Amino acid sequence: MAFRMRKWFEKNKQYIQEMRPVLNRDALFSDTSGEYVLPPYPASGEEITIRFRTAACNVDQVFAVIGGERLEMTCTERHQDFDFYELKYQLGDEMISYYFEIREGHVCGYYDARGLVKEADPKACFKVKPNFSVPEWAKGAVMYQIFVDRFCNGNPENDVETGEYFYIDRHSRRIEDWGKTPDAMDVGNFYGGDLQGVLDKLDYLEDLGVEVIYLSPVFVSPSNHKYDIQDYDHADPHYTVIAEEKGRLLEDWQRENTYATKYINRVTNPVNLDASNAFFCGFCERGA
């Protein structure tokens, strides 16, 4: 038995030595950082180097697909754990979009900004734009995103009220208990966070080491996240200041916002909108 096993091994030695493990998905990586696009902020007409990482000795070929052109990459670095493939590409004046094709035997996969996928999506392609550069103040800055409605209520007078208007099959609702578990459909629940609350916490944010504040949208919108903006020209008075109050809340049985006169006044009255924009300008100056 031992003799036959030895003969089999000798006969298949080369095949065994050349065998590779199954494609290592976790080792595949690329992005548009300075590690994988060099130089990271290229100029028009400049030659760039695009890089892609795989597990060591794990794939047959890697291609960069740029604008529909399939270009084979070269393995230029081989370490104990990883191989690095590179492609040099001459830029023009326009932004380029690209993804990767990885081949290992009969296995073919694609890699874009989502990771390894069965089919590349143009929306998820990596992009390099000539003459683009990150502002110096943003490089390495500590950024802190604030979902304004859930951060701090600095001015209770501008809070969205329960029944102020009807939105996505229900009345708006003012939440008093900040510790409650969010509802499954929470978009119409308002905790009262506003820009005055952000101002009140600037010292706290500075103590945390925050250098840049990234706010969720602050323009007029019926949702608590305000990504469905209905007026890009004015900061929402519910986040800033309501200078003139009038109108009524909806009755429990009312579903038409035609009758939501308090809400209509708050977000369309020029007095309120002008005061809101003035407050927002002051907020930006104070934050700077």
Side-chain angles (χ1 to χ4, degrees), residues 195 215 218-219 235 240 275-286:
L195 295 182
L215 298 176
V218 299
F219 299 102
T240 51
S276 293
N277 280 358
F279 183 97
F280 184 56
C281 289
F283 170 86
C284 293
E285 293 172 358
R286 172 90 176 270

Side-chain angles (χ1 to χ4, degrees), residues 73-229:
M73 305 179 73
T74 303
C75 183
T76 58
E77 292 182 45
R78 177 156 287 169
H79 303 290
Q80 180 177 351
D81 297 318
F82 300 113
D83 289 345
F84 290 88
Y85 288 77
E86 292 187 356
L87 174 73
K88 295 190 181 299
Y89 187 83
Q90 191 76 35
L91 289 177
D93 295 325
E94 302 297 324
M95 179 175 67
I96 65 168
S97 299
Y98 63 93
Y99 61 91
F100 301 95
E101 178 184 319
I102 305 98
R103 289 192 168 270
E104 190 243 347
H106 295 294
V107 176
C108 178
Y110 302 95
Y111 191 97
D112 57 22
R114 299 168 296 170
L116 184 65
V117 292
K118 292 182 178 180
E119 185 176 347
D121 184 343
K123 296 178 182 178
C125 283
F126 298 104
K127 294 177 174 58
V128 174
K129 183 176 178 61
N131 304 318
F132 170 82
S133 62
V134 175
E136 289 299 321
W137 61 263
K139 294 179 180 178
V142 177
M143 297 190 181
Y144 189 96
Q145 183 175 12
I146 293 177
F147 178 9
V148 179
D149 180 67
R150 305 299 164 90
F151 185 67
C152 178
N153 190 347
N155 178 16
E157 298 300 318
N158 61 18
D159 291 1
V160 174
E161 297 186 38
T162 297
E164 187 175 323
Y165 55 93
F166 196 73
Y167 178 67
I168 309 186
D169 298 327
R170 66 199 65 201
H171 289 100
S172 62
R173 183 181 173 205
R174 180 178 181 177
I175 304 299
E176 302 287 351
D177 179 12
W178 281 59
K180 79 176 288 293
T181 302
D183 295 341
M185 183 58 178
D186 203 59
V187 70
N189 290 343
F190 295 86
Y191 286 63
D194 50 34
L195 295 182
Q196 183 60 53
V198 177
L199 287 175
D200 293 345
K201 296 295 183 178
L202 287 181
D203 290 342
Y204 159 74
L205 295 170
E206 187 175 2
D207 289 342
L208 289 179
V210 173
E211 297 169 288
V212 179
I213 295 174
Y214 171 30
L215 298 176
S216 59
V218 299
F219 299 102
V220 175
S221 161
S223 65
N224 54 28
H225 54 67
K226 300 201 180 303
Y227 283 98
D228 51 350
I229 297 168

